[in-house]
Short mmCIF file of all heavy atoms in Angstrom, two decimals:
data_model
loop_
_atom_site.label_atom_id
_atom_site.label_comp_id
_atom_site.label_asym_id
_atom_site.label_seq_id
_atom_site.Cartn_x
_atom_site.Cartn_y
_atom_site.Cartn_z
N GLY A 1 0.80 -1.17 0.00
CA GLY A 1 0.00 0.00 0.00
C GLY A 1 0.86 1.26 0.00
O GLY A 1 2.05 1.23 -0.30
N ASP A 2 0.22 2.33 0.34
CA ASP A 2 0.87 3.64 0.33
C ASP A 2 1.29 4.10 1.72
O ASP A 2 1.75 5.22 1.88
CB ASP A 2 -0.07 4.69 -0.26
CG ASP A 2 -0.32 4.44 -1.75
OD1 ASP A 2 0.60 3.96 -2.42
OD2 ASP A 2 -1.43 4.73 -2.20
N ARG A 3 1.10 3.26 2.76
CA ARG A 3 1.43 3.66 4.14
C ARG A 3 2.94 3.61 4.36
O ARG A 3 3.60 2.64 4.05
CB ARG A 3 0.72 2.75 5.13
CG ARG A 3 0.98 3.15 6.56
CD ARG A 3 -0.05 2.60 7.49
NE ARG A 3 -1.14 3.56 7.55
CZ ARG A 3 -2.06 3.58 8.49
NH1 ARG A 3 -2.04 2.69 9.45
NH2 ARG A 3 -3.00 4.48 8.49
N VAL A 4 3.47 4.70 4.92
CA VAL A 4 4.89 4.84 5.25
C VAL A 4 4.97 5.36 6.67
O VAL A 4 4.22 6.27 7.04
CB VAL A 4 5.60 5.85 4.31
CG1 VAL A 4 7.03 6.08 4.72
CG2 VAL A 4 5.49 5.41 2.86
N VAL A 5 5.87 4.79 7.49
CA VAL A 5 6.11 5.29 8.84
C VAL A 5 7.60 5.55 9.00
O VAL A 5 8.43 4.74 8.60
CB VAL A 5 5.65 4.28 9.92
CG1 VAL A 5 5.93 4.82 11.32
CG2 VAL A 5 4.18 3.96 9.76
N VAL A 6 7.94 6.70 9.58
CA VAL A 6 9.33 7.06 9.83
C VAL A 6 9.48 7.28 11.33
O VAL A 6 8.67 7.98 11.94
CB VAL A 6 9.73 8.36 9.07
CG1 VAL A 6 11.17 8.74 9.36
CG2 VAL A 6 9.49 8.19 7.58
N VAL A 7 10.50 6.65 11.93
CA VAL A 7 10.77 6.83 13.36
C VAL A 7 12.19 7.31 13.57
O VAL A 7 13.07 7.06 12.76
CB VAL A 7 10.53 5.52 14.17
CG1 VAL A 7 9.09 5.10 14.11
CG2 VAL A 7 11.43 4.40 13.68
N GLY A 8 12.42 8.02 14.67
CA GLY A 8 13.75 8.51 15.00
C GLY A 8 13.68 9.42 16.20
O GLY A 8 12.84 9.25 17.07
N GLU A 9 14.54 10.41 16.26
CA GLU A 9 14.52 11.36 17.35
C GLU A 9 14.87 12.75 16.88
O GLU A 9 15.52 12.93 15.87
CB GLU A 9 15.44 10.94 18.49
CG GLU A 9 16.90 10.88 18.14
CD GLU A 9 17.34 9.52 17.62
OE1 GLU A 9 16.70 8.51 17.87
OE2 GLU A 9 18.35 9.50 16.92
N ARG A 10 14.36 13.72 17.64
CA ARG A 10 14.70 15.11 17.39
C ARG A 10 16.05 15.39 18.02
O ARG A 10 16.40 14.78 19.02
CB ARG A 10 13.65 16.03 18.02
CG ARG A 10 12.26 15.86 17.47
CD ARG A 10 11.27 16.73 18.27
NE ARG A 10 9.91 16.47 17.89
CZ ARG A 10 9.10 15.61 18.51
NH1 ARG A 10 9.51 14.93 19.54
NH2 ARG A 10 7.86 15.44 18.09
N GLN A 11 16.79 16.32 17.48
CA GLN A 11 18.08 16.70 18.05
C GLN A 11 17.96 18.05 18.74
O GLN A 11 17.20 18.89 18.27
CB GLN A 11 19.13 16.77 16.94
CG GLN A 11 19.40 15.45 16.27
CD GLN A 11 20.01 14.42 17.20
OE1 GLN A 11 20.83 14.75 18.05
NE2 GLN A 11 19.61 13.19 17.04
N PRO A 12 18.62 18.34 19.83
CA PRO A 12 19.54 17.43 20.52
C PRO A 12 18.77 16.34 21.27
O PRO A 12 17.65 16.57 21.73
CB PRO A 12 20.29 18.33 21.50
CG PRO A 12 19.35 19.46 21.76
CD PRO A 12 18.55 19.64 20.48
N LEU A 13 19.38 15.17 21.38
CA LEU A 13 18.76 14.01 22.01
C LEU A 13 18.56 14.25 23.50
O LEU A 13 19.46 14.67 24.20
CB LEU A 13 19.65 12.79 21.79
CG LEU A 13 19.10 11.46 22.25
CD1 LEU A 13 17.79 11.16 21.53
CD2 LEU A 13 20.10 10.35 21.98
N ALA A 14 17.36 14.02 23.97
CA ALA A 14 17.01 14.15 25.39
C ALA A 14 15.74 13.34 25.62
O ALA A 14 15.16 12.80 24.68
CB ALA A 14 16.80 15.61 25.76
N LEU A 15 15.30 13.27 26.85
CA LEU A 15 14.05 12.56 27.13
C LEU A 15 12.91 13.20 26.36
O LEU A 15 12.80 14.42 26.28
CB LEU A 15 13.75 12.58 28.62
CG LEU A 15 14.63 11.71 29.48
CD1 LEU A 15 14.22 11.83 30.94
CD2 LEU A 15 14.59 10.26 29.05
N GLY A 16 12.05 12.36 25.79
CA GLY A 16 10.89 12.86 25.07
C GLY A 16 11.16 13.36 23.67
O GLY A 16 10.33 14.05 23.09
N THR A 17 12.31 13.01 23.08
CA THR A 17 12.62 13.50 21.74
C THR A 17 12.31 12.49 20.64
O THR A 17 12.52 12.76 19.47
CB THR A 17 14.10 13.93 21.62
OG1 THR A 17 14.93 12.81 21.95
CG2 THR A 17 14.40 15.09 22.52
N GLY A 18 11.82 11.29 21.02
CA GLY A 18 11.42 10.31 20.02
C GLY A 18 10.33 10.87 19.13
O GLY A 18 9.49 11.65 19.57
N LEU A 19 10.33 10.48 17.87
CA LEU A 19 9.41 11.04 16.89
C LEU A 19 8.93 9.94 15.95
O LEU A 19 9.72 9.09 15.53
CB LEU A 19 10.12 12.13 16.08
CG LEU A 19 9.36 12.76 14.93
CD1 LEU A 19 8.20 13.60 15.45
CD2 LEU A 19 10.29 13.62 14.09
N ALA A 20 7.64 9.95 15.64
CA ALA A 20 7.07 9.03 14.65
C ALA A 20 6.13 9.81 13.76
O ALA A 20 5.26 10.55 14.25
CB ALA A 20 6.33 7.89 15.33
N VAL A 21 6.29 9.68 12.45
CA VAL A 21 5.40 10.32 11.50
C VAL A 21 4.87 9.28 10.53
O VAL A 21 5.55 8.30 10.22
CB VAL A 21 6.08 11.50 10.75
CG1 VAL A 21 6.38 12.64 11.69
CG2 VAL A 21 7.35 11.06 10.04
N LEU A 22 3.65 9.48 10.06
CA LEU A 22 2.97 8.52 9.21
C LEU A 22 2.44 9.20 7.96
O LEU A 22 1.97 10.33 8.01
CB LEU A 22 1.80 7.91 10.01
CG LEU A 22 0.94 6.89 9.30
CD1 LEU A 22 0.59 5.76 10.24
CD2 LEU A 22 -0.32 7.53 8.76
N SER A 23 2.53 8.49 6.84
CA SER A 23 1.98 8.96 5.57
C SER A 23 1.11 7.87 4.98
O SER A 23 1.49 6.70 4.98
CB SER A 23 3.12 9.29 4.60
OG SER A 23 2.60 9.58 3.32
N ASP A 24 -0.04 8.24 4.48
CA ASP A 24 -0.90 7.30 3.76
C ASP A 24 -0.95 7.60 2.27
O ASP A 24 -1.76 7.04 1.54
CB ASP A 24 -2.32 7.32 4.35
CG ASP A 24 -2.43 6.46 5.60
OD1 ASP A 24 -1.80 5.40 5.66
OD2 ASP A 24 -3.14 6.88 6.54
N ASP A 25 -0.05 8.49 1.81
CA ASP A 25 -0.02 8.82 0.39
C ASP A 25 1.38 8.63 -0.20
O ASP A 25 1.82 9.37 -1.07
CB ASP A 25 -0.53 10.24 0.14
CG ASP A 25 0.26 11.30 0.89
OD1 ASP A 25 1.34 11.00 1.43
OD2 ASP A 25 -0.22 12.45 0.95
N GLY A 26 2.08 7.59 0.29
CA GLY A 26 3.38 7.25 -0.27
C GLY A 26 4.49 8.21 0.10
O GLY A 26 5.54 8.22 -0.54
N GLY A 27 4.30 9.04 1.12
CA GLY A 27 5.35 9.95 1.57
C GLY A 27 5.21 11.37 1.07
O GLY A 27 6.08 12.20 1.31
N GLN A 28 4.11 11.69 0.41
CA GLN A 28 3.91 13.06 -0.06
C GLN A 28 3.60 14.01 1.09
O GLN A 28 4.04 15.15 1.10
CB GLN A 28 2.81 13.10 -1.11
CG GLN A 28 3.18 12.23 -2.28
CD GLN A 28 2.79 12.84 -3.59
OE1 GLN A 28 2.34 13.97 -3.69
NE2 GLN A 28 2.97 12.07 -4.64
N THR A 29 2.81 13.52 2.08
CA THR A 29 2.51 14.31 3.28
C THR A 29 2.63 13.39 4.50
O THR A 29 2.46 12.17 4.38
CB THR A 29 1.08 14.90 3.24
OG1 THR A 29 0.13 13.83 3.17
CG2 THR A 29 0.90 15.83 2.06
N PHE A 30 2.95 13.98 5.64
CA PHE A 30 3.10 13.21 6.87
C PHE A 30 2.31 13.85 8.00
O PHE A 30 2.10 15.04 8.02
CB PHE A 30 4.58 13.15 7.29
CG PHE A 30 5.40 12.22 6.44
CD1 PHE A 30 6.00 12.67 5.28
CD2 PHE A 30 5.56 10.89 6.80
CE1 PHE A 30 6.76 11.82 4.49
CE2 PHE A 30 6.31 10.03 6.03
CZ PHE A 30 6.92 10.49 4.87
N VAL A 31 1.89 13.00 8.95
CA VAL A 31 1.21 13.45 10.16
C VAL A 31 1.98 12.88 11.36
O VAL A 31 2.47 11.75 11.30
CB VAL A 31 -0.26 13.01 10.13
CG1 VAL A 31 -0.51 11.68 10.74
CG2 VAL A 31 -1.14 14.01 10.74
N ASP A 32 2.12 13.67 12.41
CA ASP A 32 2.84 13.24 13.61
C ASP A 32 1.98 12.26 14.39
O ASP A 32 0.86 12.59 14.79
CB ASP A 32 3.17 14.47 14.47
CG ASP A 32 4.07 14.16 15.64
OD1 ASP A 32 4.19 12.98 16.04
OD2 ASP A 32 4.67 15.11 16.18
N VAL A 33 2.46 11.02 14.59
CA VAL A 33 1.75 10.01 15.38
C VAL A 33 2.56 9.62 16.62
O VAL A 33 2.36 8.56 17.18
CB VAL A 33 1.41 8.76 14.52
CG1 VAL A 33 0.41 9.10 13.45
CG2 VAL A 33 2.66 8.12 13.95
N THR A 34 3.46 10.51 17.04
CA THR A 34 4.25 10.25 18.23
C THR A 34 3.30 10.09 19.42
O THR A 34 2.42 10.92 19.61
CB THR A 34 5.21 11.43 18.50
OG1 THR A 34 5.98 11.68 17.33
CG2 THR A 34 6.13 11.13 19.67
N PRO A 35 3.46 9.01 20.20
CA PRO A 35 2.55 8.80 21.33
C PRO A 35 2.60 9.98 22.32
O PRO A 35 3.67 10.46 22.67
CB PRO A 35 3.09 7.53 22.00
CG PRO A 35 3.83 6.83 20.91
CD PRO A 35 4.40 7.91 20.04
N GLU A 36 1.45 10.43 22.72
CA GLU A 36 1.31 11.53 23.67
C GLU A 36 1.97 11.18 25.00
O GLU A 36 1.77 10.10 25.53
CB GLU A 36 -0.18 11.77 23.88
CG GLU A 36 -0.53 12.99 24.61
CD GLU A 36 -0.77 14.20 23.74
OE1 GLU A 36 -1.00 14.11 22.53
OE2 GLU A 36 -0.72 15.24 24.35
N GLY A 37 2.81 12.06 25.52
CA GLY A 37 3.41 11.89 26.83
C GLY A 37 4.51 10.85 26.93
O GLY A 37 4.89 10.46 28.02
N HIS A 38 5.04 10.39 25.81
CA HIS A 38 6.10 9.38 25.88
C HIS A 38 7.37 10.01 26.45
O HIS A 38 7.59 11.21 26.36
CB HIS A 38 6.37 8.75 24.51
CG HIS A 38 7.22 9.60 23.62
ND1 HIS A 38 8.57 9.45 23.57
CD2 HIS A 38 6.91 10.61 22.78
CE1 HIS A 38 9.07 10.35 22.72
NE2 HIS A 38 8.07 11.05 22.24
N THR A 39 8.22 9.16 27.03
CA THR A 39 9.46 9.65 27.62
C THR A 39 10.69 9.02 26.98
O THR A 39 11.79 9.17 27.47
CB THR A 39 9.50 9.38 29.14
OG1 THR A 39 9.38 7.96 29.35
CG2 THR A 39 8.37 10.10 29.85
N ALA A 40 10.51 8.29 25.90
CA ALA A 40 11.64 7.63 25.25
C ALA A 40 12.59 8.64 24.65
O ALA A 40 12.18 9.68 24.15
CB ALA A 40 11.14 6.69 24.15
N GLU A 41 13.89 8.33 24.72
CA GLU A 41 14.88 9.15 24.03
C GLU A 41 14.73 9.00 22.53
O GLU A 41 15.01 9.92 21.79
CB GLU A 41 16.29 8.75 24.45
CG GLU A 41 16.64 9.16 25.86
CD GLU A 41 18.06 8.80 26.20
OE1 GLU A 41 18.76 8.18 25.37
OE2 GLU A 41 18.49 9.14 27.30
N SER A 42 14.37 7.79 22.11
CA SER A 42 14.25 7.56 20.67
C SER A 42 13.17 6.54 20.39
O SER A 42 12.77 5.77 21.25
CB SER A 42 15.59 7.06 20.11
OG SER A 42 15.88 5.78 20.62
N LEU A 43 12.70 6.56 19.18
CA LEU A 43 11.88 5.49 18.63
C LEU A 43 12.71 4.88 17.53
O LEU A 43 13.19 5.59 16.64
CB LEU A 43 10.56 6.04 18.11
CG LEU A 43 9.63 6.62 19.17
CD1 LEU A 43 8.46 7.33 18.52
CD2 LEU A 43 9.15 5.54 20.11
N SER A 44 12.93 3.57 17.58
CA SER A 44 13.89 2.97 16.66
C SER A 44 13.31 1.87 15.79
O SER A 44 13.97 1.43 14.86
CB SER A 44 15.08 2.42 17.45
OG SER A 44 14.64 1.52 18.44
N LYS A 45 12.10 1.41 16.09
CA LYS A 45 11.52 0.32 15.30
C LYS A 45 10.04 0.57 15.10
O LYS A 45 9.38 1.18 15.94
CB LYS A 45 11.72 -1.00 16.03
CG LYS A 45 13.17 -1.42 16.16
CD LYS A 45 13.26 -2.76 16.86
CE LYS A 45 14.64 -3.32 16.93
NZ LYS A 45 15.73 -2.47 17.17
N CYS A 46 9.52 0.07 13.98
CA CYS A 46 8.08 0.12 13.76
C CYS A 46 7.68 -1.05 12.88
O CYS A 46 8.47 -1.56 12.09
CB CYS A 46 7.65 1.44 13.15
SG CYS A 46 8.19 1.67 11.47
N VAL A 47 6.44 -1.48 13.07
CA VAL A 47 5.85 -2.55 12.26
C VAL A 47 4.47 -2.07 11.86
O VAL A 47 3.73 -1.52 12.69
CB VAL A 47 5.74 -3.87 13.06
CG1 VAL A 47 4.97 -4.92 12.28
CG2 VAL A 47 7.10 -4.38 13.47
N ILE A 48 4.12 -2.27 10.61
CA ILE A 48 2.76 -1.98 10.15
C ILE A 48 2.05 -3.32 10.03
O ILE A 48 2.41 -4.16 9.21
CB ILE A 48 2.76 -1.23 8.80
CG1 ILE A 48 3.55 0.07 8.92
CG2 ILE A 48 1.33 -0.97 8.35
CD1 ILE A 48 3.76 0.80 7.60
N GLU A 49 1.06 -3.54 10.90
CA GLU A 49 0.29 -4.79 10.91
C GLU A 49 -0.63 -4.84 9.69
O GLU A 49 -0.95 -3.80 9.11
CB GLU A 49 -0.53 -4.89 12.20
CG GLU A 49 0.30 -4.90 13.47
CD GLU A 49 1.05 -6.21 13.67
OE1 GLU A 49 0.74 -7.20 12.99
OE2 GLU A 49 1.95 -6.23 14.53
N PRO A 50 -1.08 -6.03 9.29
CA PRO A 50 -1.96 -6.14 8.13
C PRO A 50 -3.24 -5.29 8.22
O PRO A 50 -3.74 -4.83 7.21
CB PRO A 50 -2.31 -7.64 8.09
CG PRO A 50 -1.14 -8.30 8.74
CD PRO A 50 -0.70 -7.34 9.81
N ASP A 51 -3.74 -5.04 9.45
CA ASP A 51 -4.94 -4.22 9.59
C ASP A 51 -4.64 -2.72 9.59
O ASP A 51 -5.53 -1.90 9.76
CB ASP A 51 -5.71 -4.60 10.86
CG ASP A 51 -4.98 -4.21 12.14
OD1 ASP A 51 -3.85 -3.71 12.09
OD2 ASP A 51 -5.58 -4.43 13.23
N GLY A 52 -3.36 -2.34 9.41
CA GLY A 52 -2.97 -0.94 9.35
C GLY A 52 -2.48 -0.38 10.67
O GLY A 52 -1.98 0.74 10.72
N THR A 53 -2.62 -1.14 11.77
CA THR A 53 -2.11 -0.69 13.06
C THR A 53 -0.60 -0.57 13.01
O THR A 53 0.08 -1.45 12.49
CB THR A 53 -2.52 -1.67 14.18
OG1 THR A 53 -3.93 -1.73 14.25
CG2 THR A 53 -1.95 -1.25 15.52
N VAL A 54 -0.10 0.53 13.54
CA VAL A 54 1.34 0.76 13.58
C VAL A 54 1.82 0.47 15.00
O VAL A 54 1.29 1.02 15.97
CB VAL A 54 1.67 2.22 13.20
CG1 VAL A 54 3.16 2.49 13.32
CG2 VAL A 54 1.19 2.51 11.78
N VAL A 55 2.83 -0.39 15.13
CA VAL A 55 3.44 -0.70 16.43
C VAL A 55 4.80 -0.03 16.47
O VAL A 55 5.64 -0.26 15.60
CB VAL A 55 3.57 -2.22 16.64
CG1 VAL A 55 4.22 -2.51 17.99
CG2 VAL A 55 2.21 -2.90 16.53
N LEU A 56 5.01 0.83 17.49
CA LEU A 56 6.26 1.57 17.64
C LEU A 56 7.03 1.04 18.84
O LEU A 56 6.44 0.69 19.85
CB LEU A 56 5.97 3.06 17.88
CG LEU A 56 5.11 3.76 16.83
CD1 LEU A 56 4.74 5.14 17.32
CD2 LEU A 56 5.83 3.82 15.50
N ALA A 57 8.36 1.01 18.73
CA ALA A 57 9.20 0.59 19.84
C ALA A 57 10.41 1.50 19.92
O ALA A 57 10.90 2.01 18.92
CB ALA A 57 9.65 -0.86 19.66
N GLY A 58 10.89 1.68 21.16
CA GLY A 58 12.07 2.52 21.38
C GLY A 58 12.75 2.14 22.66
O GLY A 58 12.56 1.04 23.18
N ALA A 59 13.53 3.06 23.19
CA ALA A 59 14.36 2.81 24.36
C ALA A 59 13.56 2.27 25.54
O ALA A 59 13.97 1.34 26.20
CB ALA A 59 15.10 4.08 24.76
N ASP A 60 12.41 2.82 25.83
CA ASP A 60 11.60 2.35 26.96
C ASP A 60 10.12 2.33 26.62
O ASP A 60 9.27 2.52 27.47
CB ASP A 60 11.84 3.22 28.20
CG ASP A 60 11.37 4.65 28.00
OD1 ASP A 60 10.97 5.02 26.88
OD2 ASP A 60 11.39 5.42 28.98
N LEU A 61 9.79 2.08 25.36
CA LEU A 61 8.41 2.22 24.92
C LEU A 61 8.05 1.19 23.86
O LEU A 61 8.82 0.94 22.95
CB LEU A 61 8.24 3.62 24.32
CG LEU A 61 6.91 3.95 23.68
CD1 LEU A 61 5.88 4.23 24.75
CD2 LEU A 61 7.07 5.15 22.77
N VAL A 62 6.89 0.58 24.01
CA VAL A 62 6.26 -0.20 22.93
C VAL A 62 4.79 0.20 22.97
O VAL A 62 4.15 0.12 24.00
CB VAL A 62 6.40 -1.71 23.14
CG1 VAL A 62 5.62 -2.47 22.07
CG2 VAL A 62 7.85 -2.14 23.16
N VAL A 63 4.27 0.68 21.85
CA VAL A 63 2.89 1.15 21.81
C VAL A 63 2.31 0.93 20.42
O VAL A 63 3.03 0.96 19.43
CB VAL A 63 2.82 2.65 22.21
CG1 VAL A 63 3.48 3.53 21.18
CG2 VAL A 63 1.39 3.09 22.43
N ALA A 64 1.02 0.69 20.36
CA ALA A 64 0.32 0.56 19.07
C ALA A 64 -0.45 1.84 18.80
O ALA A 64 -1.07 2.41 19.69
CB ALA A 64 -0.64 -0.62 19.11
N VAL A 65 -0.36 2.29 17.57
CA VAL A 65 -1.06 3.49 17.13
C VAL A 65 -1.96 3.09 15.98
O VAL A 65 -1.48 2.62 14.96
CB VAL A 65 -0.06 4.57 16.63
CG1 VAL A 65 -0.80 5.79 16.11
CG2 VAL A 65 0.93 4.95 17.72
N SER A 66 -3.29 3.22 16.14
CA SER A 66 -4.14 2.92 15.00
C SER A 66 -4.56 4.19 14.32
O SER A 66 -4.84 5.16 14.98
CB SER A 66 -5.37 2.12 15.34
OG SER A 66 -5.66 1.92 16.61
N GLN A 67 -4.56 4.16 13.03
CA GLN A 67 -4.95 5.33 12.23
C GLN A 67 -5.98 4.90 11.22
O GLN A 67 -5.84 3.95 10.57
CB GLN A 67 -3.72 5.90 11.51
CG GLN A 67 -2.79 6.61 12.40
CD GLN A 67 -3.30 7.95 12.83
OE1 GLN A 67 -3.91 8.67 12.08
NE2 GLN A 67 -3.09 8.30 14.08
#
């Protein structure tokens, strides 16, 4: 499909700088799907499940984001 997820961190690196953005148009536009109130330094992994649910993982966080 056209779903793209990008994970990483904002610089300078500190608590709460993990970032996740999602696109449903092949990367032409993105929306911030960073979990509210997270404290991870980074988000480093993501999986897009067959139903479209995005699972994010990082230094101290694993969370599912449905869009």
Side-chain angles (χ1 to χ4, degrees):
D2 293 327
R3 182 160 272 198
V4 175
V5 179
V6 179
V7 296
E9 63 270 338
R10 298 175 187 94
Q11 296 295 323
L13 186 60
L15 288 180
T17 58
L19 175 69
V21 293
L22 179 140
S23 172
D24 279 322
D25 58 13
Q28 300 219 7
T29 61
F30 285 88
V31 90
D32 187 341
V33 294
T34 307
E36 190 92 18
H38 80 93
T39 59
E41 288 183 356
S42 67
L43 294 171
S44 55
K45 294 181 175 39
C46 69
V47 173
I48 303 172
E49 299 288 346
D51 69 357
T53 299
V54 176
V55 179
L56 304 171
D60 65 353
L61 174 77
V62 175
V63 67
V65 177
S66 9
Q67 287 286 322

